mmCIF file of all heavy atoms in Angstrom:
data_model
loop_
_atom_site.group_PDB
_atom_site.id
_atom_site.type_symbol
_atom_site.label_atom_id
_atom_site.label_comp_id
_atom_site.label_asym_id
_atom_site.label_seq_id
_atom_site.Cartn_x
_atom_site.Cartn_y
_atom_site.Cartn_z
ATOM 1 N N PHE D 971 -286.375 -131.020 42.883
ATOM 2 C CA PHE D 971 -285.966 -130.193 41.666
ATOM 3 C C PHE D 971 -286.201 -131.000 40.382
ATOM 4 O O PHE D 971 -286.588 -130.479 39.430
ATOM 5 C CB PHE D 971 -284.505 -129.778 41.817
ATOM 6 C CG PHE D 971 -283.525 -130.939 41.395
ATOM 7 C CD1 PHE D 971 -283.147 -131.089 40.081
ATOM 8 C CD2 PHE D 971 -283.066 -131.830 42.396
ATOM 9 C CE1 PHE D 971 -282.213 -132.112 39.764
ATOM 10 C CE2 PHE D 971 -282.234 -132.820 41.956
ATOM 11 C CZ PHE D 971 -281.832 -133.020 40.775
ATOM 12 N N ALA D 972 -286.104 -132.375 40.509
ATOM 13 C CA ALA D 972 -286.346 -133.202 39.303
ATOM 14 C C ALA D 972 -287.830 -133.129 38.848
ATOM 15 O O ALA D 972 -288.080 -133.285 37.652
ATOM 16 C CB ALA D 972 -285.866 -134.645 39.594
ATOM 17 N N GLY D 973 -288.737 -132.873 39.794
ATOM 18 C CA GLY D 973 -290.087 -132.817 39.418
ATOM 19 C C GLY D 973 -290.316 -131.546 38.582
ATOM 20 O O GLY D 973 -291.036 -131.565 37.527
ATOM 21 N N VAL D 974 -289.702 -130.371 38.915
ATOM 22 C CA VAL D 974 -289.771 -129.187 38.082
ATOM 23 C C VAL D 974 -289.141 -129.406 36.790
ATOM 24 O O VAL D 974 -289.683 -129.003 35.665
ATOM 25 C CB VAL D 974 -289.158 -127.994 38.848
ATOM 26 C CG1 VAL D 974 -289.251 -126.789 37.981
ATOM 27 C CG2 VAL D 974 -289.894 -127.789 40.164
ATOM 28 N N PHE D 975 -287.984 -130.079 36.773
ATOM 29 C CA PHE D 975 -287.306 -130.377 35.559
ATOM 30 C C PHE D 975 -288.135 -131.261 34.608
ATOM 31 O O PHE D 975 -288.334 -130.915 33.406
ATOM 32 C CB PHE D 975 -286.029 -131.146 35.980
ATOM 33 C CG PHE D 975 -285.301 -131.920 34.871
ATOM 34 C CD1 PHE D 975 -284.845 -131.316 33.730
ATOM 35 C CD2 PHE D 975 -285.133 -133.367 34.963
ATOM 36 C CE1 PHE D 975 -284.185 -132.098 32.732
ATOM 37 C CE2 PHE D 975 -284.536 -134.011 34.007
ATOM 38 C CZ PHE D 975 -283.972 -133.348 32.873
ATOM 39 N N GLY D 976 -288.826 -132.248 35.161
ATOM 40 C CA GLY D 976 -289.614 -133.199 34.408
ATOM 41 C C GLY D 976 -290.915 -132.317 33.792
ATOM 42 O O GLY D 976 -291.378 -132.514 32.765
ATOM 43 N N LEU D 977 -291.499 -131.512 34.766
ATOM 44 C CA LEU D 977 -292.652 -130.705 34.332
ATOM 45 C C LEU D 977 -292.352 -129.777 33.223
ATOM 46 O O LEU D 977 -293.125 -129.659 32.307
ATOM 47 C CB LEU D 977 -293.197 -129.947 35.602
ATOM 48 C CG LEU D 977 -294.440 -129.117 35.369
ATOM 49 C CD1 LEU D 977 -295.648 -130.121 35.017
ATOM 50 C CD2 LEU D 977 -294.722 -128.355 36.621
ATOM 51 N N ASN D 978 -291.122 -129.130 33.302
ATOM 52 C CA ASN D 978 -290.728 -128.251 32.217
ATOM 53 C C ASN D 978 -290.658 -128.965 30.866
ATOM 54 O O ASN D 978 -290.986 -128.495 29.851
ATOM 55 C CB ASN D 978 -289.392 -127.615 32.559
ATOM 56 C CG ASN D 978 -289.602 -126.353 33.409
ATOM 57 O OD1 ASN D 978 -290.562 -125.687 33.412
ATOM 58 N ND2 ASN D 978 -288.598 -126.126 34.306
ATOM 59 N N ILE D 979 -290.107 -130.150 30.890
ATOM 60 C CA ILE D 979 -289.916 -130.963 29.682
ATOM 61 C C ILE D 979 -291.364 -131.347 29.102
ATOM 62 O O ILE D 979 -291.577 -131.166 27.912
ATOM 63 C CB ILE D 979 -289.157 -132.304 29.937
ATOM 64 C CG1 ILE D 979 -287.703 -131.931 30.214
ATOM 65 C CG2 ILE D 979 -289.296 -133.172 28.721
ATOM 66 C CD1 ILE D 979 -286.844 -133.089 30.545
ATOM 67 N N ALA D 980 -292.219 -131.780 29.989
ATOM 68 C CA ALA D 980 -293.569 -132.024 29.563
ATOM 69 C C ALA D 980 -294.358 -130.892 28.897
ATOM 70 O O ALA D 980 -294.978 -131.031 27.972
ATOM 71 C CB ALA D 980 -294.424 -132.616 30.738
ATOM 72 N N ILE D 981 -294.207 -129.685 29.566
ATOM 73 C CA ILE D 981 -294.857 -128.540 29.126
ATOM 74 C C ILE D 981 -294.183 -128.096 27.741
ATOM 75 O O ILE D 981 -294.906 -127.743 26.796
ATOM 76 C CB ILE D 981 -294.670 -127.343 30.124
ATOM 77 C CG1 ILE D 981 -295.599 -127.595 31.406
ATOM 78 C CG2 ILE D 981 -295.219 -126.036 29.521
ATOM 79 C CD1 ILE D 981 -295.328 -126.663 32.501
ATOM 80 N N GLY D 982 -292.931 -128.212 27.653
ATOM 81 C CA GLY D 982 -292.263 -127.887 26.418
ATOM 82 C C GLY D 982 -292.727 -128.718 25.275
ATOM 83 O O GLY D 982 -292.932 -128.317 24.201
ATOM 84 N N ILE D 983 -292.787 -130.073 25.498
ATOM 85 C CA ILE D 983 -293.275 -131.018 24.496
ATOM 86 C C ILE D 983 -294.734 -130.710 24.038
ATOM 87 O O ILE D 983 -295.037 -130.633 22.893
ATOM 88 C CB ILE D 983 -293.095 -132.416 24.914
ATOM 89 C CG1 ILE D 983 -291.701 -132.838 25.041
ATOM 90 C CG2 ILE D 983 -293.812 -133.467 23.924
ATOM 91 C CD1 ILE D 983 -291.320 -134.224 25.742
ATOM 92 N N TYR D 984 -295.588 -130.482 25.056
ATOM 93 C CA TYR D 984 -296.977 -130.212 24.768
ATOM 94 C C TYR D 984 -297.105 -128.881 23.898
ATOM 95 O O TYR D 984 -297.872 -128.913 22.945
ATOM 96 C CB TYR D 984 -297.741 -130.041 26.135
ATOM 97 C CG TYR D 984 -299.103 -129.468 25.846
ATOM 98 C CD1 TYR D 984 -300.180 -130.258 25.468
ATOM 99 C CD2 TYR D 984 -299.411 -128.029 26.148
ATOM 100 C CE1 TYR D 984 -301.397 -129.757 25.213
ATOM 101 C CE2 TYR D 984 -300.688 -127.601 25.884
ATOM 102 C CZ TYR D 984 -301.651 -128.442 25.455
ATOM 103 O OH TYR D 984 -302.958 -127.907 25.186
ATOM 104 N N GLN D 985 -296.420 -127.862 24.351
ATOM 105 C CA GLN D 985 -296.500 -126.671 23.553
ATOM 106 C C GLN D 985 -296.026 -126.739 22.118
ATOM 107 O O GLN D 985 -296.554 -126.180 21.217
ATOM 108 C CB GLN D 985 -295.676 -125.557 24.286
ATOM 109 C CG GLN D 985 -296.269 -125.078 25.608
ATOM 110 C CD GLN D 985 -297.442 -124.184 25.446
ATOM 111 O OE1 GLN D 985 -298.229 -124.266 24.463
ATOM 112 N NE2 GLN D 985 -297.636 -123.202 26.372
ATOM 113 N N ASP D 986 -294.894 -127.514 21.981
ATOM 114 C CA ASP D 986 -294.358 -127.690 20.640
ATOM 115 C C ASP D 986 -295.259 -128.510 19.729
ATOM 116 O O ASP D 986 -295.541 -128.223 18.542
ATOM 117 C CB ASP D 986 -292.974 -128.391 20.754
ATOM 118 C CG ASP D 986 -291.838 -127.406 20.929
ATOM 119 O OD1 ASP D 986 -292.071 -126.228 20.917
ATOM 120 O OD2 ASP D 986 -290.694 -127.891 21.332
ATOM 121 N N VAL D 987 -295.846 -129.541 20.321
ATOM 122 C CA VAL D 987 -296.772 -130.363 19.529
ATOM 123 C C VAL D 987 -298.144 -129.550 19.148
ATOM 124 O O VAL D 987 -298.599 -129.606 18.088
ATOM 125 C CB VAL D 987 -297.185 -131.623 20.300
ATOM 126 C CG1 VAL D 987 -298.352 -132.401 19.612
ATOM 127 C CG2 VAL D 987 -295.999 -132.556 20.449
ATOM 128 N N HIS D 988 -298.540 -128.807 20.197
ATOM 129 C CA HIS D 988 -299.783 -127.930 19.941
ATOM 130 C C HIS D 988 -299.432 -126.927 18.900
ATOM 131 O O HIS D 988 -300.318 -126.640 18.021
ATOM 132 C CB HIS D 988 -300.135 -127.235 21.258
ATOM 133 C CG HIS D 988 -301.302 -126.427 21.208
ATOM 134 N ND1 HIS D 988 -302.493 -126.799 20.598
ATOM 135 C CD2 HIS D 988 -301.569 -125.102 21.585
ATOM 136 C CE1 HIS D 988 -303.352 -125.836 20.640
ATOM 137 N NE2 HIS D 988 -302.832 -124.846 21.281
ATOM 138 N N ALA D 989 -298.279 -126.294 18.937
ATOM 139 C CA ALA D 989 -297.909 -125.361 17.847
ATOM 140 C C ALA D 989 -297.803 -125.970 16.532
ATOM 141 O O ALA D 989 -298.207 -125.396 15.495
ATOM 142 C CB ALA D 989 -296.591 -124.664 18.265
ATOM 143 N N ARG D 990 -297.267 -127.107 16.410
ATOM 144 C CA ARG D 990 -297.048 -127.860 15.209
ATOM 145 C C ARG D 990 -298.483 -128.113 14.579
ATOM 146 O O ARG D 990 -298.684 -127.837 13.316
ATOM 147 C CB ARG D 990 -296.375 -129.213 15.354
ATOM 148 C CG ARG D 990 -296.266 -130.048 14.095
ATOM 149 C CD ARG D 990 -295.685 -131.386 14.342
ATOM 150 N NE ARG D 990 -295.928 -132.243 13.133
ATOM 151 C CZ ARG D 990 -295.079 -132.358 12.157
ATOM 152 N NH1 ARG D 990 -294.023 -131.756 12.106
ATOM 153 N NH2 ARG D 990 -295.419 -133.226 11.154
ATOM 154 N N ILE D 991 -299.413 -128.583 15.369
ATOM 155 C CA ILE D 991 -300.761 -128.985 14.849
ATOM 156 C C ILE D 991 -301.424 -127.673 14.322
ATOM 157 O O ILE D 991 -302.061 -127.664 13.328
ATOM 158 C CB ILE D 991 -301.581 -129.730 15.857
ATOM 159 C CG1 ILE D 991 -301.001 -130.983 16.184
ATOM 160 C CG2 ILE D 991 -303.059 -129.828 15.399
ATOM 161 C CD1 ILE D 991 -301.549 -131.658 17.473
ATOM 162 N N LEU D 992 -301.366 -126.555 15.133
ATOM 163 C CA LEU D 992 -301.957 -125.338 14.818
ATOM 164 C C LEU D 992 -301.421 -124.745 13.562
ATOM 165 O O LEU D 992 -302.105 -124.273 12.674
ATOM 166 C CB LEU D 992 -301.862 -124.366 16.056
ATOM 167 C CG LEU D 992 -302.635 -123.106 15.906
ATOM 168 C CD1 LEU D 992 -304.106 -123.340 15.830
ATOM 169 C CD2 LEU D 992 -302.373 -122.242 17.171
ATOM 170 N N LEU D 993 -300.108 -124.762 13.405
ATOM 171 C CA LEU D 993 -299.404 -124.213 12.244
ATOM 172 C C LEU D 993 -299.674 -124.951 11.015
ATOM 173 O O LEU D 993 -299.830 -124.399 9.851
ATOM 174 C CB LEU D 993 -297.939 -124.039 12.492
ATOM 175 C CG LEU D 993 -297.404 -122.944 13.436
ATOM 176 C CD1 LEU D 993 -296.002 -122.985 13.587
ATOM 177 C CD2 LEU D 993 -297.995 -121.642 13.151
ATOM 178 N N GLU D 994 -299.717 -126.309 11.125
ATOM 179 C CA GLU D 994 -300.048 -127.049 9.906
ATOM 180 C C GLU D 994 -301.444 -126.794 9.451
ATOM 181 O O GLU D 994 -301.641 -126.741 8.242
ATOM 182 C CB GLU D 994 -299.900 -128.578 10.275
ATOM 183 C CG GLU D 994 -298.505 -129.115 10.458
ATOM 184 C CD GLU D 994 -297.697 -128.994 9.199
ATOM 185 O OE1 GLU D 994 -298.276 -128.940 8.112
ATOM 186 O OE2 GLU D 994 -296.424 -129.001 9.260
ATOM 187 N N ARG D 995 -302.394 -126.486 10.372
ATOM 188 C CA ARG D 995 -303.745 -126.168 9.974
ATOM 189 C C ARG D 995 -303.717 -124.802 9.259
ATOM 190 O O ARG D 995 -304.414 -124.601 8.249
ATOM 191 C CB ARG D 995 -304.683 -126.163 11.093
ATOM 192 C CG ARG D 995 -304.968 -127.556 11.726
ATOM 193 C CD ARG D 995 -305.787 -127.489 12.906
ATOM 194 N NE ARG D 995 -306.065 -128.728 13.548
ATOM 195 C CZ ARG D 995 -306.600 -128.932 14.704
ATOM 196 N NH1 ARG D 995 -306.909 -127.823 15.513
ATOM 197 N NH2 ARG D 995 -306.828 -130.091 15.137
ATOM 198 N N LEU D 996 -303.005 -123.886 9.846
ATOM 199 C CA LEU D 996 -303.000 -122.516 9.388
ATOM 200 C C LEU D 996 -302.296 -122.440 8.070
ATOM 201 O O LEU D 996 -302.664 -121.685 7.169
ATOM 202 C CB LEU D 996 -302.323 -121.529 10.403
ATOM 203 C CG LEU D 996 -302.520 -120.121 10.283
ATOM 204 C CD1 LEU D 996 -303.996 -119.760 10.406
ATOM 205 C CD2 LEU D 996 -301.715 -119.347 11.364
ATOM 206 N N LYS D 997 -301.236 -123.291 7.947
ATOM 207 C CA LYS D 997 -300.458 -123.222 6.766
ATOM 208 C C LYS D 997 -301.237 -123.475 5.468
ATOM 209 O O LYS D 997 -300.924 -122.998 4.390
ATOM 210 C CB LYS D 997 -299.272 -124.114 6.824
ATOM 211 C CG LYS D 997 -298.167 -124.104 5.749
ATOM 212 C CD LYS D 997 -297.003 -125.003 6.120
ATOM 213 C CE LYS D 997 -295.851 -124.836 5.063
ATOM 214 N NZ LYS D 997 -296.295 -125.440 3.825
ATOM 215 N N VAL D 998 -302.228 -124.322 5.548
ATOM 216 C CA VAL D 998 -303.077 -124.734 4.486
ATOM 217 C C VAL D 998 -303.689 -123.416 3.870
ATOM 218 O O VAL D 998 -303.904 -123.328 2.622
ATOM 219 C CB VAL D 998 -304.176 -125.720 4.809
ATOM 220 C CG1 VAL D 998 -305.130 -125.969 3.735
ATOM 221 C CG2 VAL D 998 -303.590 -127.021 5.318
ATOM 222 N N LEU D 999 -304.105 -122.478 4.746
ATOM 223 C CA LEU D 999 -304.681 -121.204 4.230
ATOM 224 C C LEU D 999 -303.727 -120.326 3.427
ATOM 225 O O LEU D 999 -304.236 -119.541 2.592
ATOM 226 C CB LEU D 999 -305.253 -120.444 5.484
ATOM 227 C CG LEU D 999 -306.264 -121.151 6.304
ATOM 228 C CD1 LEU D 999 -306.585 -120.327 7.496
ATOM 229 C CD2 LEU D 999 -307.519 -121.480 5.527
ATOM 230 N N SER D 1000 -302.458 -120.465 3.666
ATOM 231 C CA SER D 1000 -301.563 -119.552 2.937
ATOM 232 C C SER D 1000 -300.675 -120.319 2.041
ATOM 233 O O SER D 1000 -299.855 -119.696 1.345
ATOM 234 C CB SER D 1000 -300.707 -118.821 3.961
ATOM 235 O OG SER D 1000 -299.849 -119.780 4.687
ATOM 236 N N ASP D 1001 -300.748 -121.609 1.962
ATOM 237 C CA ASP D 1001 -299.931 -122.426 0.951
ATOM 238 C C ASP D 1001 -300.149 -121.971 -0.489
ATOM 239 O O ASP D 1001 -301.253 -121.693 -0.912
ATOM 240 C CB ASP D 1001 -300.205 -123.887 1.071
ATOM 241 C CG ASP D 1001 -299.300 -124.633 2.039
ATOM 242 O OD1 ASP D 1001 -298.316 -124.045 2.458
ATOM 243 O OD2 ASP D 1001 -299.511 -125.758 2.301
ATOM 244 N N ASN D 1002 -299.009 -121.894 -1.191
ATOM 245 C CA ASN D 1002 -299.118 -121.354 -2.587
ATOM 246 C C ASN D 1002 -299.837 -122.400 -3.486
ATOM 247 O O ASN D 1002 -299.735 -123.657 -3.228
ATOM 248 C CB ASN D 1002 -297.774 -121.120 -3.111
ATOM 249 C CG ASN D 1002 -297.066 -119.911 -2.494
ATOM 250 O OD1 ASN D 1002 -297.813 -118.993 -2.007
ATOM 251 N ND2 ASN D 1002 -295.836 -119.900 -2.429
#
Side-chain angles (χ1 to χ4, degrees):
F971 79 91
V974 177
F975 162 61
L977 183 63
N978 275 329
I979 291 178
I981 291 171
I983 292 173
Y984 169 78
Q985 290 282 33
D986 277 348
V987 171
H988 181 46
R990 176 188 166 90
I991 294 170
L992 190 60
L993 288 181
E994 287 294 341
R995 289 174 182 169
L996 196 63
K997 190 173 180 291
V998 173
L999 300 176
S1000 65
D1001 265 351
N1002 292 331

